[in-house]
Amino acid sequence: MEKDMASAAASAHIPSTPTLCAAAKPPMQMHSEHPERKRVLFVTSEFADLIKCGGLGDVSAALPRALSPQHDMRLLIPGYRKVVESGRPIRIVGQLPGVAALPPCQIGRMDLADGLIVYVLLNHALYERDGSPYVDAQGRDWADNHIRFARLGLAAAEIASGDAGIQWRPELVHANDWPAAMAPAYMAWRQASAPAVLTIHNLAYQGLCDMRCASELAIPESACGVDGLEFYGQLSFLKAGIAYAQHVTTVSRRYAREITTPEQGCGLDGLLRAKVLGNQLSGIANGIDESWQPESDPHLLQGFSAGDWAGKRANTEYVQRWLNLDAEGPLFAVVSRLVQQKGIDLTLDVAEHIVARGGRIGVIGQGEPALEAAMADLGRRHPGRIGVHIGFNESDARRLYAGSDFLLMPSRFEPCGLSQMYAQRYASLPIARCTGGLADTIEDGVSGFLFDAPHVDAYREAIDRALQVFEHPELLEAMRCHAMRSPLYWRQSVQPYDRLFQRLLGQVNARRALR
């Protein structure tokens, strides 16, 4: 969603679907069976089990599951075509009326095999389309993204207020990134009693639309000023979430500091500094899910463990065949969205240096058309040394992590990053810029290589250090073993979320006691 969004509302038509069925209505669950196990609604635009565009999908699949032993975690996601046609039964459990230009919707319930409950926001015209959740098949933002994702935020607020007709009501709402960021605002305007947490996964994507859309989105006039949603003459979904959430988190400690500076605050640094003063901003590092086990990952050609590298070599051989690479030289991996933020242009600039030093590069990813074309052209100019696959496939990506010696990750900024942790777990040493979560998860010269400035010279120097290590097998093995022990799994990193949820709910209970 960007500056030129159209203001036309989506149709309210909701056709019947073979996978949908009516649901029984158990009594409204208003109190947790276990007093410490709170009801939490996790609102997201991606969920890797059903639909994924990036790291948000992975986090949305892993974090609620990791928190499930402590809390009754349930998800709310839009009913994209891939979700509705996933083959999993969806029971209709709630109805939502239209508000302003936000159309009526149904709420379906999907029960996954592991017990996780997913609420699906159903409106055929809004969500069941070709393309990704955010853009059409040509890569253009959907013109009605402001309607589509404001409706998601309002649905979360209606569930939190007990007005959605479903037999469950959250005690806390956890919204994620700009597509869900209107949830805390709608909750405040509806005077929902549940606190709201907003997690910023990437501050650069704010969800901007024309100020004239305010009436379509049922935004009160009093909220349209500089202290509310107004952002340089536009409406900002992310600013709404930051302003109205009781607490804001982001996905690494360093990034939480960086976004309060003018350099990386994307125009919201002042508001974020105010959150710091109110003890309402914190950085909680992401983890990786339990499937990232090099010994047993079914995606790999052969498993391996630290010190036993036969399986790693088997995956290297697969990558060589898949990408038509020569068999000699250190293998550098690029597993990334091909966008400016990720420093892909810097990798294009250093690629010939890597080849000249005897290295090979394997690439899998997709993104901006110009960078896709440049990367494909690079592969054509260096057959046997650089292999490029435009697109994404989970198995091939995991095999590239496992088969490579180094991961190239020169991000201009990186809120957390998961790729560097995946690579470490699979004994591929990341070469990354010292920013955000990369700085928090890579120990320079021990579990990877860091460089400071987003410039080719600094990047090339880090690559040369990696190549020197490659020439010393004992040092390379020591770094690989250390890297494999470095990443946190989600089960090890959920405690800060649990403490935050308990603190916010304790504050709500304290206010109630004073009434």
Side-chain angles (χ1 to χ4, degrees), residues 79-115:
Y80 309 115
R81 178 169 294 163
K82 284 187 178 179
V83 174
V84 173
E85 297 180 356
S86 67
R88 296 173 171 88
I90 300 174
R91 296 183 292 129
I92 303 301
V93 295
Q95 302 283 343
L96 303 177
V99 178
L102 304 179
C105 295
Q106 294 174 316
I107 297 178
R109 171 172 165 162
M110 180 185 291
D111 291 71
L112 301 187
D114 62 358

Side-chain angles (χ1 to χ4, degrees), residues 30 93 105 139 269 274 297 322 329 336 352 361 370 376 412 477 481:
M30 298 296 294
V93 295
C105 295
D269 50 289
D297 186 344
W322 168 49
S336 176
E352 293 194 4
I361 304 174
R412 285 182 164 79
E477 178 160 348
C481 292

Side-chain angles (χ1 to χ4, degrees), residues 37-100:
R37 195 167 185 263
K38 307 302 182 182
R39 300 183 306 278
V40 178
L41 181 66
F42 190 95
V43 189
T44 180
S45 57
E46 299 178 33
F47 176 58
D49 291 44
L50 302 170
I51 189 161
K52 169 185 167 181
C53 297
L56 175 60
D58 291 324
V59 173
S60 299
L63 179 56
R65 287 184 165 105
L67 281 164
S68 289
Q70 288 82 24
H71 303 290
D72 179 1
M73 301 293 300
R74 304 192 183 188
L75 272 70
L76 174 67
I77 64 172
Y80 309 115
R81 178 169 294 163
K82 284 187 178 179
V83 174
V84 173
E85 297 180 356
S86 67
R88 296 173 171 88
I90 300 174
R91 296 183 292 129
I92 303 301
V93 295
Q95 302 283 343
L96 303 177
V99 178

Side-chain angles (χ1 to χ4, degrees), residues 281-339:
L281 174 65
S282 56
I284 302 177
N286 285 339
I288 62 176
D289 69 63
E290 299 289 340
S291 71
W292 291 89
Q293 302 284 355
E295 301 89 349
S296 57
D297 186 344
H299 291 281
L300 301 186
L301 261 292
Q302 182 178 330
F304 64 95
S305 58
D308 181 4
W309 307 116
K312 188 169 180 68
R313 289 191 293 271
N315 286 281
T316 303
E317 291 167 2
Y318 169 83
V319 171
Q320 290 167 183
R321 295 191 300 272
W322 168 49
L323 295 176
N324 297 313
L325 293 173
D326 298 339
E328 298 297 328
L331 178 56
F332 294 77
V334 175
V335 184
S336 176
R337 287 186 295 117
L338 304 181
V339 296

Side-chain angles (χ1 to χ4, degrees), residues 71-367:
H71 303 290
D72 179 1
M73 301 293 300
R74 304 192 183 188
L75 272 70
L76 174 67
I77 64 172
Y80 309 115
R81 178 169 294 163
K82 284 187 178 179
V83 174
V84 173
E85 297 180 356
S86 67
R88 296 173 171 88
I90 300 174
R91 296 183 292 129
I92 303 301
V93 295
Q95 302 283 343
L96 303 177
V99 178
L102 304 179
C105 295
Q106 294 174 316
I107 297 178
R109 171 172 165 162
M110 180 185 291
D111 291 71
L112 301 187
D114 62 358
L116 186 65
I117 293 171
V118 178
Y119 291 118
V120 182
L121 185 62
L122 297 166
N123 181 293
H124 175 79
L126 279 188
Y127 303 118
E128 292 185 49
R129 308 174 178 181
D130 294 329
S132 89
Y134 317 112
V135 300
D136 62 22
Q138 287 71 46
R140 297 174 301 215
D141 291 326
W142 294 113
D144 60 348
N145 270 350
H146 61 307
I147 299 287
R148 300 170 74 236
F149 293 110
R151 194 64 192 85
L152 177 66
L154 178 59
E158 290 168 314
I159 294 172
S161 301
D163 297 328
I166 67 174
Q167 306 303 305
W168 180 86
R169 184 172 174 179
E171 297 167 272
L172 181 143
V173 172
H174 185 178
N176 290 268
D177 252 356
W178 74 263
M182 287 296 291
Y186 285 123
M187 289 171 65
W189 300 330
R190 297 175 72 90
Q191 298 183 328
S193 59
V197 174
L198 172 71
T199 294
I200 299 170
H201 297 263
N202 192 333
L203 189 67
Y205 298 94
Q206 296 188 17
L208 301 176
C209 67
D210 195 289
M211 182 67 74
R212 290 171 294 184
C213 297
S215 60
E216 292 183 316
L217 306 183
I219 297 172
E221 185 176 349
S222 60
C224 293
V226 68
D227 294 329
L229 281 68
E230 191 274 335
F231 182 78
Y232 295 96
Q234 296 181 287
L235 292 176
S236 168
F237 279 29
L238 195 62
K239 186 181 180 186
I242 296 169
Y244 286 99
Q246 279 66 48
H247 197 91
V248 177
T249 72
T250 191
V251 289
S252 70
R253 294 185 299 276
R254 183 176 175 122
Y255 192 60
R257 297 193 301 271
E258 290 174 345
I259 61 176
T260 63
T261 67
E263 292 76 18
Q264 295 202 43
C266 300
L268 295 172
D269 50 289
L271 178 58
L272 290 163
R273 285 194 295 273
K275 286 288 182 177
V276 172
L277 293 176
N279 193 29
Q280 293 176 295
L281 174 65
S282 56
I284 302 177
N286 285 339
I288 62 176
D289 69 63
E290 299 289 340
S291 71
W292 291 89
Q293 302 284 355
E295 301 89 349
S296 57
D297 186 344
H299 291 281
L300 301 186
L301 261 292
Q302 182 178 330
F304 64 95
S305 58
D308 181 4
W309 307 116
K312 188 169 180 68
R313 289 191 293 271
N315 286 281
T316 303
E317 291 167 2
Y318 169 83
V319 171
Q320 290 167 183
R321 295 191 300 272
W322 168 49
L323 295 176
N324 297 313
L325 293 173
D326 298 339
E328 298 297 328
L331 178 56
F332 294 77
V334 175
V335 184
S336 176
R337 287 186 295 117
L338 304 181
V339 296
Q340 187 78 2
Q341 176 211 327
K342 299 295 185 179
I344 299 301
D345 56 316
L346 299 176
T347 294
L348 291 167
D349 288 341
V350 302
E352 293 194 4
H353 177 75
I354 291 173
V355 171
R357 291 289 308 271
R360 303 168 294 163
I361 304 174
V363 180
I364 182 171
Q366 59 190 10

